[in-house]
Amino acid sequence: MSTDTTDADNDLRERITNFLRRNFPQIQMHGGSAAISHLDRENGEVTVQLGGACSGCGISPMTIQAIKSRMVKEIPEIETVHADTGMGAGADGDLGGTSSGGMSPSFPGETTDDGDDEGPQAPF
């Protein structure tokens, strides 16, 4: 790798890092972090790893979508953004839903049709 390529990679990496700091200060303000885990300048792809409080945060999928849509508009060299929170998310921040065999959320009073466990009965 030539020094020109290394300089271009470093420049692009710095612009991505500045983009994240400038556009998403709430990530750090809320105890999270965002770091570039992979950069492929030739293909215009970057992978951003969200960590800290972002792992398991309910709004991290929205943060990921915002990063993906805004970065490709603001940084011309980037065509594809992959992002992950590290909490069972796919490479694109897809949490998998119920079709991947993961657990789905349940809410108080919610009933299911599986008939296996109706939960505790009211004492009256």
Side-chain angles (χ1 to χ4, degrees):
M1 186 183 290
S2 72
T3 6
D4 291 341
T5 304
T6 303
D7 289 345
D9 284 351
N10 288 340
D11 176 62
L12 182 56
R13 187 174 290 271
E14 184 174 333
R15 287 191 293 136
I16 293 168
T17 300
N18 288 336
F19 164 84
L20 291 169
R21 284 186 192 136
R22 185 177 66 251
N23 290 293
F24 298 97
Q26 68 272 24
I27 292 173
Q28 191 169 15
M29 289 175 10
H30 293 158
S33 63
I36 301 166
S37 61
H38 179 73
L39 176 61
D40 183 346
R41 191 172 59 88
E42 286 183 26
N43 292 322
E45 292 187 35
V46 64
T47 302
V48 176
Q49 182 71 39
L50 299 178
C54 292
S55 296
C57 176
I59 64 168
S60 62
M62 290 181 278
T63 303
I64 288 170
Q65 283 307 110
I67 290 170
K68 292 166 88 173
S69 66
R70 290 168 62 184
M71 189 181 297
V72 296
K73 291 177 184 173
E74 290 190 33
I75 303 176
E77 296 91 337
I78 300 299
E79 296 176 17
T80 306
V81 179
H82 304 283
D84 187 7
T85 61
M87 283 293 295
D92 292 315
D94 178 16
L95 298 178
T98 57
S99 63
S100 66
M103 294 181 65
S104 61
S106 61
F107 302 95
E110 181 179 54
T111 59
T112 59
D113 293 331
D114 60 10
D116 290 343
D117 182 15
E118 294 180 19
Q121 296 296 316
F124 47 87

